[in-house]
Amino acid sequence: MANLSYMKAIVLFLGILVPAFRITDAQSVGVCYGGNGNNLPSKQATVDLFKANRIQKMRLYNPDQPALQALRGTNIEVILGVPNPDLQSLQDPAAAKTWVQNNIQSYTPGVNFRYIAVGNEVDPSNGGTSQFVNYVLPAMRNVHDAIVAAGLQNQIKVSTATHSGLTTGFPPSKGSFHDNARGFIDPIIQFLAQNNLPLLANIYPYFYLGTPQVNLDYALFRSPNVVVSDPDSNLQYWHLFDALLDTIYSGVEKSGGPNVDIIVSESGWPSAGDREASVENAQTYYQNLITHAKRNGTPKRPDKLVQVYLFAMFDENQKEGLETEKHFGLFDPTSQQSKYQLSF
């Protein structure tokens, strides 16, 4: 998840079981499973909670062996992450091959891997992740080559997870990646395009509250009127989520990937910790996002349902950053009860 203070500085727009919780009814929706807490259920209990609530897609941020063991035979689709600190080691093709053997092939068949996220939110302008900039694309190439060598390229797609803060431009048709990021991201987009691979992107309308033309209704999918009319594309936007996603699509096009699909690898709303962070607003956001993803594409990609992973399965009490970072969970980690009555 992008740092809140960084995201606020970006002005893109002037502009165990709760029966009601059923993610399978929206096949394009998954849930992220983070582990930054000291009160989280066991890996097996967590996978059982996914199964009990019929959540069929999971984003796992690292190759956690107990979690992978628990996922065997579940048919839950998995995005498996390569953590940023591990990117440097994968500059060696042999190391990437070993990584794939140990973390993918050892669980295949058995675990339904769908994507590998090689790095998360690496950003030349972010002091915390800029050190990894030169490692992302070589690691992606080496992991992709190892997947191809294993004969798994039709099942597993290699990508990296970026975030909406890497783009700029208003309205969405003018979206592009920041100039200082182009040298980093353009070769990645071109690699994805050449190999028919998607881009993963983390999108949080919450972090744009207070920027011009962004009010609460626009961010929560409940604006009664068009908020942004894009004169260059003749497209209209009722929802900030769509505008952010289409801004990234425009950036991807300008960077050499007109046919690259985007999967929203994180999106969520905090239930506590700062302004407009409440259970009521979080429930509204998650429910409206689920409904939107089930039924719609974006104005720029109207015929393609949005694939989105809700962040996150649990509140994480050891999450670093501002207080809101600890309150994105759909489930209480102690009781394993849903915080929201989400239905489809």
Side-chain angles (χ1 to χ4, degrees):
M1 185 191 306
N3 180 272
L4 180 58
S5 60
Y6 175 71
M7 296 295 288
K8 281 183 174 178
I10 300 166
V11 181
L12 288 183
F13 297 92
L14 302 177
I16 192 164
L17 174 62
V18 177
F21 196 94
R22 286 288 184 269
I23 293 260
T24 29
D25 295 339
Q27 291 293 332
S28 58
V29 178
V31 176
C32 302
Y33 174 23
N36 293 310
N38 60 11
N39 61 346
L40 302 180
S42 70
K43 308 306 166 69
Q44 185 62 60
T46 299
V47 171
D48 289 344
L49 194 61
F50 268 76
K51 291 164 57 181
N53 288 278
R54 301 180 185 176
I55 304 170
Q56 294 295 314
K57 297 172 184 286
M58 174 191 291
R59 181 179 178 187
L60 188 63
Y61 288 87
N62 63 81
D64 182 283
Q65 305 303 311
L68 293 174
Q69 289 286 3
L71 283 163
R72 285 186 184 275
T74 64
N75 206 37
I76 294 172
E77 289 188 7
V78 178
I79 298 178
L80 183 62
V82 177
N84 292 341
D86 295 347
L87 296 175
Q88 186 174 6
S89 67
L90 299 183
Q91 307 305 287
D92 178 3
K97 183 177 181 180
T98 298
W99 190 95
V100 169
Q101 289 173 339
N102 291 343
N103 301 308
I104 301 293
Q105 290 175 268
S106 293
Y107 298 93
T108 304
V111 177
N112 186 14
F113 296 105
R114 189 71 182 89
Y115 305 103
I116 300 175
V118 181
N120 183 55
E121 293 190 349
V122 174
D123 184 340
S125 298
N126 184 324
T129 65
S130 59
Q131 61 185 305
F132 306 115
V133 163
N134 293 328
Y135 302 143
V136 177
L137 182 55
M140 289 174 64
R141 284 198 180 107
N142 290 339
V143 172
H144 175 70
D145 288 346
I147 289 293
V148 172
L152 296 171
Q153 67 272 19
N154 292 328
Q155 173 190 340
I156 302 170
K157 305 299 182 183
V158 175
S159 186
T160 188
T162 186
H163 65 107
S164 56
L166 211 64
T167 56
T168 185
F170 178 86
S173 63
K174 293 189 181 299
S176 64
F177 289 100
H178 284 285
D179 289 343
N180 69 342
R182 292 291 295 269
F184 161 66
I185 197 68
D186 284 10
I188 290 174
I189 300 301
Q190 290 154 22
F191 172 78
L192 297 176
Q194 291 162 5
N195 292 282
N196 193 29
L197 302 171
L199 178 67
L200 307 180
N202 302 338
I203 296 177
Y204 288 89
Y206 175 79
F207 292 142
Y208 291 85
L209 291 175
T211 58
Q213 215 167 11
V214 174
N215 59 37
L216 187 61
D217 286 341
Y218 187 38
L220 290 176
F221 292 91
R222 64 186 188 191
S223 177
N225 303 303
V226 172
V227 177
V228 171
S229 293
D230 191 331
D232 295 327
S233 64
N234 294 319
L235 299 177
Q236 297 180 319
Y237 291 87
W238 282 262
H239 315 303
L240 176 56
F241 176 90
D242 284 349
L244 290 168
L245 181 48
D246 278 355
T247 298
I248 301 175
Y249 266 120
S250 294
V252 168
E253 291 170 358
K254 293 178 177 69
S255 292
N259 297 316
V260 170
D261 290 332
I262 297 175
I263 294 164
V264 180
S265 44
E266 290 181 15
S267 191
W269 196 283
S271 60
D274 203 352
R275 62 174 186 161
E276 308 298 357
S278 66
V279 171
E280 179 183 4
N281 285 343
Q283 173 160 335
T284 298
Y285 181 77
Y286 286 118
Q287 182 60 68
N288 288 343
L289 176 57
I290 290 166
T291 301
H292 186 64
K294 180 181 178 182
R295 298 176 181 173
N296 304 282
T298 67
K300 194 174 181 69
R301 295 286 188 272
D303 298 326
K304 184 176 289 294
L305 291 180
V306 175
Q307 292 189 57
V308 61
Y309 288 74
L310 308 182
F311 188 90
M313 193 64 173
F314 300 114
D315 285 340
E316 298 174 69
N317 63 4
Q318 294 180 321
K319 190 85 173 176
E320 296 180 356
L322 298 179
E323 183 64 23
T324 51
E325 306 280 349
K326 302 176 182 179
H327 301 282
F328 277 84
L330 300 175
F331 290 84
D332 179 86
T334 303
S335 68
Q336 299 183 42
Q337 294 295 309
S338 174
K339 290 160 62 177
Y340 316 110
Q341 292 298 307
L342 303 180
S343 63
F344 300 91

